[in-house]
Amino acid sequence: MTRLANTNILVLSLPRHDERYTSTTWQISSELALDNNVILVDHPFTFTELLKGFHKPEVRKRILAYFKTPVIEKEGVKVLLPPFVWPINFLPRGIIYNLFSGLNHRMVARRINRFLKQSHIESLVYINSFDFYFPGLGRKLAIKPALSVYHCIDPMVKPFTLRHGPYLEQIAVEQSDMVISTAPALQKKFTDQGIENSYLVPNAANYKLFNKALAIKGAYHKSLTGIEGKVMGYLGNIERRTDFDLLRDALEVLSDWHLVLAGPVEPGYVPEKIFDHPRIHFTGSCNHEEAPSVMARFDVAIIPFKCDEVSQGIYPLKLFEYLAAGKPVVSTNFNPEVLNSLGDVVEIGLTPEDFADKVLKAYASDDEDKQKDRALVASKNTWTHRAKQFGALIRFALEKQPKGNVSQRKDQKQPEA
C-alpha cells in the first residue's frame, strides 16, 4: 500500500493538540506528517473560557498567538492556534445561533487563510476531524480544497454535544467528499443515510510507547504508591459510559482485589458508593508518556463500558494500548462487532459475576507467551498502519472520484488496505 505523500493537509480537530491525553486525530496527523505537510487547527477556546481560565497555560498560549506567530511545531505537525470565538452552544437553534456561528467561522478562517497565503500553499486536502461545530469552515477557505473529508471519531453522548451536534454533523457530512469513521457502527450510521463514500479506519495504539510497560517491574507511577495486592485497572476517562454498578458488584466477588481508575473524572456521573469504596482508587490524570508506568501495575486491564446503543460506536484507544502492554484484558460486550474479532486476546464478561470470573481466569492463566501474543496483535494495529489506510483512502479519492458532494458518488469501492 503506497503512502500518501507530498500533500498539504489541513486538519480541523475537536481534540486539542495539548490535552493531557492523546487523540485519534493527533496520532493520525503526526503519522501523516512524516510524508506530508500537515497543518492542524485546534478547536477554538471561547471568550468565556478565556475569562475563566486566564491562568491556564493552554489559554495563555492562545493569547500570545495574537502577538507573535500562531504556529508551533510538534512531532512534525504545524499546529495553528486559532483565535478565541464567541460561546454559542447555549443558544437555541435558529437565526441568532447561525449569525454568531457564521462570525466564528469567519474569525477562524481569517487566521487560517492568512497562514496559507504566507506559506504559499495553493492546494490542500481538508479534514474536519469531528469538529462539527464548524461544519462550513472548508467553504470559508481562500483555497478550494481538492478533497474534503469528515472524520467521525466518536458517538455523541453528552447533553452539551447533543444540543446542536447531530444536525451540525449532518451539514459537515453534506459538505464533504467522503466520511471516515473509527468504528463499524459509526460507519454504518452514514451508509444507512445512503452515503456509500463512508469508510472505516479503526483506532489503534502507540505500540512503541505502551510496549514499554512489559519492562517496568516495580517503578510504577507515583499515583499508585501504597496500593498493595492484586489490581484490576482502567485507564481513560471516567464518565457516563462507565458501568459503575458492574464494577461495584464485581468487586464484591473479588474480595481481595483492588480497582484502580486512572484518568480524568466527571464527578456527576460517579455514584458516591464508588467514591467511598475502600478498594477503589482514583489516581487522576497523567501525561500520555507516563501511561505505561500506570498500566504496568495492572494485573488485569479492564474496559467496563455500559452495553448500550451509544457504546456500539466506541472503538477505544485503550484496547490496543492494553494489548501492547501485554496485559490480560477483560471487557464488557459493549461492541460485539469489534470484540468478537479479538476473542483470542480479550475475555468478555456478560454479568458482574461473569466479569469477576473472567478477571480471575485471565489472572490465573497469564504467562509470558500470552503476553507476547497480545503484544503481537497490538503490533499489527498501530497508528502507522492506520495512517497508511487513511492516506490510501485520500489518494484513492483524489485519483479516482469525480468532484461533487459525497452523497452523489455511490459506485466507488473502498480500496484494499
Side-chain angles (χ1 to χ4, degrees):
M1 177 168 48
T2 305
R3 294 180 71 104
L4 179 70
N6 304 317
T7 302
N8 296 311
I9 304 173
L10 178 67
V11 183
L12 177 67
S13 173
L14 183 63
R16 299 185 177 105
H17 81 281
D18 48 0
E19 293 178 356
R20 290 182 69 87
Y21 281 97
T22 191
S23 67
T24 297
T25 307
W26 181 258
Q27 294 292 340
I28 291 290
S29 297
S30 59
E31 287 288 341
L32 289 174
L34 295 174
D35 299 294
N36 301 276
N37 179 32
V38 177
I39 306 108
L40 183 138
V41 182
D42 285 328
H43 179 71
F45 284 98
T46 66
F47 291 118
T48 300
E49 290 171 309
L50 165 62
L51 295 174
K52 291 182 177 180
F54 185 84
H55 61 287
K56 296 180 179 179
E58 60 269 26
V59 174
R60 295 179 70 86
K61 185 192 301 184
R62 272 76 178 177
I63 296 173
L64 292 174
Y66 282 89
F67 306 102
K68 61 180 185 179
T69 176
V71 181
I72 60 176
E73 188 158 329
K74 178 182 176 183
E75 298 179 26
V77 178
K78 296 180 179 67
V79 179
L80 177 60
L81 301 174
F84 295 97
V85 298
W86 295 103
I88 60 174
N89 200 69
F90 70 95
L91 293 170
R93 181 177 181 178
I95 295 176
I96 302 300
Y97 180 92
N98 293 340
L99 176 67
F100 278 92
S101 176
L103 180 58
N104 287 347
H105 274 69
R106 289 192 292 274
M107 292 164 67
V108 175
R110 187 181 302 119
R111 183 166 289 186
I112 295 173
N113 287 331
R114 186 182 303 122
F115 170 79
L116 295 176
K117 183 178 181 180
Q118 292 171 347
S119 302
H120 305 290
I121 293 174
E122 299 180 353
S123 66
L124 56 81
V125 170
Y126 173 65
I127 301 172
N128 181 328
S129 190
F130 206 51
D131 201 347
F132 40 82
Y133 296 108
F134 288 85
L137 188 65
R139 296 191 177 183
K140 299 289 185 183
L141 301 177
I143 302 169
K144 182 179 180 180
L147 182 76
S148 291
V149 181
Y150 181 69
H151 186 206
C152 185
I153 64 176
D154 251 332
M156 296 184 192
V157 179
K158 299 176 183 178
F160 182 92
T161 304
L162 292 171
R163 183 172 179 85
H164 293 285
Y167 77 87
L168 291 177
E169 182 177 67
Q170 193 61 38
I171 295 172
V173 169
E174 290 171 356
Q175 296 190 9
S176 299
D177 298 302
M178 63 190 301
V179 180
I180 300 177
S181 302
T182 59
L186 296 176
Q187 180 194 17
K188 185 176 184 298
K189 177 179 73 172
F190 297 112
T191 55
D192 284 350
Q193 297 174 20
I195 299 170
E196 294 189 8
N197 280 4
S198 172
Y199 303 118
L200 175 67
V201 178
N203 284 329
N206 184 332
Y207 177 80
K208 290 182 179 179
L209 175 65
F210 284 91
N211 192 242
K212 294 177 181 178
L214 277 171
I216 297 175
K217 307 295 181 184
Y220 305 125
H221 193 269
K222 59 185 178 181
S223 64
L224 301 168
T225 302
I227 301 175
E228 303 292 340
K230 292 174 284 189
V231 169
M232 62 175 180
Y234 169 83
L235 180 66
N237 293 324
I238 301 154
E239 30 85 337
R240 187 216 69 88
R241 59 186 172 181
T242 310
D243 193 336
F244 296 106
D245 289 335
L246 177 139
L247 289 174
R248 182 201 59 194
D249 293 344
L251 270 181
E252 291 302 309
V253 179
L254 301 168
S255 57
D256 59 342
W257 281 68
H258 290 260
L259 169 63
V260 168
L261 297 173
V265 179
E266 295 190 27
Y269 293 105
V270 185
E272 285 299 321
K273 59 191 175 185
I274 298 296
F275 279 125
D276 297 338
H277 199 289
R279 290 185 286 119
I280 298 180
H281 310 272
F282 292 86
T283 66
S285 301
C286 67
N287 293 324
H288 189 59
E289 292 73 20
E290 298 175 322
S293 66
V294 175
M295 202 175 291
R297 180 64 182 88
F298 299 170
D299 294 296
V300 175
I302 61 172
I303 306 179
F305 289 168
K306 294 177 180 177
C307 298
D308 56 23
E309 184 176 352
V310 171
S311 295
Q312 293 179 15
I314 298 173
Y315 202 123
L317 275 66
K318 64 185 60 57
L319 178 56
F320 291 115
E321 292 171 350
Y322 287 161
L323 295 175
K327 293 298 173 182
V329 181
V330 177
S331 174
T332 57
N333 200 24
F334 67 92
N335 191 333
E337 191 167 4
V338 170
L339 295 171
N340 287 346
S341 64
L342 296 168
D344 292 339
V345 289
V346 178
E347 296 280 355
I348 305 298
L350 301 178
T351 66
E353 295 76 15
D354 187 36
F355 194 91
D357 288 344
K358 294 297 172 58
V359 168
L360 293 173
K361 175 185 174 183
Y363 175 72
S365 61
D366 190 27
D367 57 34
E368 287 190 9
D369 287 339
K370 288 190 175 182
Q371 292 170 11
K372 291 177 181 178
D373 289 343
R374 298 174 195 125
L376 179 62
V377 171
S379 71
K380 298 176 181 177
N381 291 274
T382 67
W383 289 116
T384 299
H385 290 101
R386 298 298 190 254
K388 286 181 179 179
Q389 292 175 306
F390 206 102
L393 288 170
I394 292 174
R395 278 177 54 88
F396 176 75
L398 289 172
E399 294 172 358
K400 302 296 183 182
Q401 295 186 355
K403 306 297 182 183
N405 184 274
V406 61
S407 60
Q408 296 174 336
R409 299 188 302 277
K410 300 184 180 294
D411 59 340
Q412 303 294 333
K413 301 297 183 182
Q414 181 162 354
E416 293 296 326

